[in-house]
């Protein structure tokens, strides 16, 4: 893992929304980062069946996909999600953690193209599939600042 | 009918908006509020909470959170207008992020573009100060049966 990715994964999972959902960084393989969210009662979308809300998956896909773009970069830069599409392939199983592995399959000068899969441990049996595009250099604020908010 | 749907329809009868949010744990965690804004029309609100921030430098709301807010609005809207007798399932949802979500209240409204027998197509839009300047729009398909 690059030093940049290591710094950024720490920063990403510590962002207020990601910390609220309990995102954890699992690792990176061939430039593809994996994040995990544990099952929690307050993340459920429907009290009757206990299935995790799709919004949690959206945040997981967005965050992991953004991180996958940084695995191709040497220095931090601001990045904004341009669009994101999620296909829900099957309901998540109540009680199980959800993993997301994302890949930036094309990094262009201004845009990063990503795809991601959410699963319960076996990527061949996915819960959801996401594709996204990210706009590079989207603002003057450089991502990955330290805890005080100062840029790297 | 599921216990969830029975409870939803009873709460709807009483216009107990907060009760409906309480029955959806993740919507409660986000801090979503809503109320009727006309016949078959709901206005969703997400007041600003620090826990919803996804970029501490701008600062901006997390894009995934904005997505969850939109998806949740679509689900509640479909159940509210009784398009379905069970909670709809999202087949796919596509978000376009147009502006960063500033640390202030986010609003959303849904438009049922087409309601078929099995699938509904919906457009969901969110904005902050100015309705004409959307923060994000979502297009989604929901399975109704």
């Amino acid at each position: 893992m690059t030093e940049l990715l290591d710094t950024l994964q720490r920063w990403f999972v510590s962002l207020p929304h990601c910390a609220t959902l309990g995102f954890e960084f699992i690792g990176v393989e061939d430039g593809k980062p994996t994040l995990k969210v544990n099952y929690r009662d307050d993340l459920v979308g429907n009290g009757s069946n206990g299935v995790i809300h799709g919004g949690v998956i959206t945040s997981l896909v967005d965050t992991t996909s953004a991180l996958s773009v940084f695995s191709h970069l040497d220095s931090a830069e601001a990045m904004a999600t341009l669009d994101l599409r999620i296909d829900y392939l099957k309901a998540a199983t109540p009680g199980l953690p959800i993993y997301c592995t994302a890949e930036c399959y094309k990094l262009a000068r201004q845009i990063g193209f990503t795809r991601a899969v959410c699963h319960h441990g076996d990527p061949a049996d996915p819960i959801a599939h996401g594709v996204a595009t990210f706009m590079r250099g989207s603002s003057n604020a450089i991502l990955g600042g330290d805890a005080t908010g100062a840029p790297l | 009918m599921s216990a969830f749907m029975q409870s939803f329809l009873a709460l709807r009868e009483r216009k107990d908006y907060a009760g409906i949010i309480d029955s959806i744990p993740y919507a409660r965690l986000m801090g979503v509020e809503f109320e009727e804004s006309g016949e078959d029309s709901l206005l969703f609100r997400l007041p600003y909470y620090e826990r919803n921030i996804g970029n501490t430098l701008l600062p901006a709301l997390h894009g995934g959170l904005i997505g969850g807010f939109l998806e949740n609005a679509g689900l509640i809207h479909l159940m509210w207008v009784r398009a379905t007798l069970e909670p709809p399932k999202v087949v796919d949802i596509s978000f376009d992020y147009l502006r960063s979500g500033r640390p202030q209240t986010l609003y959303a409204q849904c438009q049922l573009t087409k309601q078929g027998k099995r699938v509904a197509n919906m457009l969901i839009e969110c904005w902050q100060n100015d309705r004409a300047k959307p923060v994000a729009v979502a297009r989604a398909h929901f399975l109704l049966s």
Side-chain angles (χ1 to χ4, degrees):
Chain A
M1 177 165 45
T2 63
E3 198 177 313
L4 175 69
L5 197 63
D6 191 39
T7 306
L8 286 174
Q9 62 87 1
R10 285 170 211 279
W11 190 67
F12 270 51
V13 297
S14 73
L15 293 168
H17 177 63
C18 300
T20 300
L21 298 182
F23 287 0
E24 293 169 33
F25 177 73
I26 297 299
V28 56
E29 223 172 295
D30 299 332
K32 301 176 198 170
T34 298
L35 296 189
K36 172 191 172 191
V37 62
N38 280 318
Y39 185 84
R40 250 175 37 203
D41 289 341
D42 61 349
L43 302 183
V44 162
N46 164 343
S48 279
N49 63 18
V51 172
I52 293 276
H53 197 290
V56 176
I57 296 197
T58 304
S59 290
L60 190 62
V61 168
D62 185 36
T63 307
T64 317
S65 300
L67 202 51
S68 76
V69 180
F70 285 107
S71 78
H72 292 273
L73 301 178
D74 297 321
S75 58
E77 59 180 70
M79 190 96 58
T81 318
L82 203 54
D83 66 32
L84 168 64
R85 169 181 161 131
I86 310 228
D87 291 347
Y88 290 100
L89 308 172
K90 65 169 190 178
T93 306
L96 296 182
I98 298 173
Y99 299 87
C100 178
T101 302
E103 172 188 21
C104 175
Y105 65 93
K106 170 73 182 174
L107 180 69
R109 195 167 52 84
Q110 298 197 72
I111 308 283
F113 298 82
T114 66
R115 52 188 165 221
V117 167
C118 292
H119 55 88
H120 285 311
D122 178 6
D125 186 19
I127 300 161
H129 184 254
V131 289
T133 51
F134 291 86
M135 192 80 206
R136 299 178 57 187
S138 57
S139 84
N140 293 326
I142 306 284
L143 289 184
D146 64 21
T148 64
L152 283 173
Chain B
M1 193 184 292
S2 66
F4 176 83
M5 210 56 206
Q6 280 176 15
S7 145
F8 182 94
L9 292 176
L11 293 162
R12 180 193 186 282
E13 232 18 70
R14 299 201 296 273
K15 296 197 191 299
D16 184 354
Y17 307 112
I20 287 177
I21 295 302
D22 279 345
S23 74
I24 306 172
Y26 184 58
R28 187 176 56 206
L29 179 65
M30 284 191 280
V32 177
E33 301 169 3
F34 78 102
E35 63 194 16
E36 265 181 308
S37 57
E39 198 178 336
D40 283 350
S41 168
L42 298 174
L43 178 64
F44 294 85
R45 262 191 321 272
L46 184 63
Y48 168 65
Y49 298 103
E50 197 266 343
R51 64 175 184 275
N52 289 337
I53 287 290
N55 182 325
T56 46
L57 300 176
L58 288 174
L61 299 174
H62 196 286
L65 168 105
I66 293 173
F69 174 59
L70 292 172
E71 176 180 327
N72 186 66
L75 289 166
I76 292 180
H77 182 97
L78 281 173
M79 293 188 286
W80 187 271
V81 302
R82 295 190 240 232
T84 162
L85 290 175
E86 286 302 332
K89 291 185 183 124
V90 188
V91 181
D92 57 57
I93 185 159
S94 184
F95 306 99
D96 290 334
Y97 293 98
L98 306 167
R99 290 177 179 81
S100 74
R102 291 186 303 274
Q104 57 195 63
T105 304
L106 189 64
Y107 301 90
Q109 218 152 23
C110 308
Q111 193 184 313
L112 192 48
T113 313
K114 188 200 167 188
Q115 184 184 335
K117 276 199 184 73
R118 294 190 294 164
V119 170
N121 179 292
M122 198 176 242
L123 199 65
I124 314 156
E125 206 169 2
C126 69
W127 67 94
Q128 293 187 310
N129 288 338
D130 184 353
R131 174 94 209 230
K133 291 182 176 165
V135 168
V137 293
R139 187 181 53 80
H141 288 108
F142 296 89
L143 262 187
L144 301 175
S145 59

